[in-house]
Amino acid sequence: MSMKFAEIKENQVLAQKQAKLASLESSLDKMETALGAAREATKQIKYDNTATDIIVALSSIADEVGIDEKELDYYANDVRRANNKLESAIYGMEEVFEDRVRDLKNAVDDLQMEIDYPEDYD
């Protein structure tokens, strides 16, 4: 009788782990989708030409009034460096999503190992 109880208990534990695994996998799918959406959003910075457009416009204006373009170079380089720093900071925001995906993948893998090799986790 106690042997059947042990089997029932093992089956219940397995069912609980499988349900948790399904939940984790669902969360992982959602997080991977969110990461993809985050990457789509952050890559928009590559298409933002505001800084370049302003530099070109100011260079044109300077040229029209006889100001040597070299006088603007220092400031233009400053703007380019700041723009590159902004791009890096924006891409850095993806790390929040990447970290969550990694954590969920690890949790899924760990739980799958417990299910597949229960004798190693007793």
Side-chain angles (χ1 to χ4, degrees), residues 56-118:
V56 169
L58 292 177
S59 293
S60 269
I61 294 167
D63 188 47
E64 287 174 14
V65 295
I67 297 175
D68 188 347
E69 190 177 314
K70 291 178 185 174
E71 291 183 56
L72 289 175
D73 282 350
Y74 171 80
Y75 300 104
N77 288 334
D78 223 15
V79 169
R80 286 184 197 98
R81 280 191 294 277
N83 198 52
N84 289 340
K85 191 172 181 178
L86 174 62
E87 281 186 35
S88 293
I90 287 173
Y91 286 127
M93 293 176 72
E94 292 176 10
E95 288 181 28
V96 173
F97 299 93
E98 291 167 349
D99 290 347
R100 191 63 55 93
V101 166
R102 184 194 62 243
D103 293 346
L104 284 167
K105 281 183 178 180
N106 288 340
V108 165
D109 290 346
D110 290 347
L111 191 53
Q112 188 65 58
M113 289 296 286
E114 280 185 45
I115 291 170
D116 292 345
Y117 305 99

Side-chain angles (χ1 to χ4, degrees), residues 2-98:
S2 68
M3 186 64 154
K4 285 186 180 184
F5 179 75
E7 284 180 36
I8 291 171
K9 185 69 174 163
E10 282 179 30
N11 288 339
Q12 287 175 339
V13 169
L14 179 60
Q16 289 171 344
K17 286 180 181 180
Q18 288 172 331
K20 184 175 180 182
L21 180 62
S23 175
L24 282 171
E25 287 173 334
S26 175
S27 294
L28 176 58
D29 288 344
K30 288 177 188 172
M31 196 56 61
E32 286 176 330
T33 299
L35 174 58
R39 286 182 173 153
E40 282 298 312
T42 59
K43 83 176 180 183
Q44 294 305 309
I45 192 68
K46 280 288 185 197
Y47 306 111
D48 180 36
N49 293 322
T50 304
T52 302
D53 291 346
I54 291 169
I55 291 169
V56 169
L58 292 177
S59 293
S60 269
I61 294 167
D63 188 47
E64 287 174 14
V65 295
I67 297 175
D68 188 347
E69 190 177 314
K70 291 178 185 174
E71 291 183 56
L72 289 175
D73 282 350
Y74 171 80
Y75 300 104
N77 288 334
D78 223 15
V79 169
R80 286 184 197 98
R81 280 191 294 277
N83 198 52
N84 289 340
K85 191 172 181 178
L86 174 62
E87 281 186 35
S88 293
I90 287 173
Y91 286 127
M93 293 176 72
E94 292 176 10
E95 288 181 28
V96 173
F97 299 93
E98 291 167 349

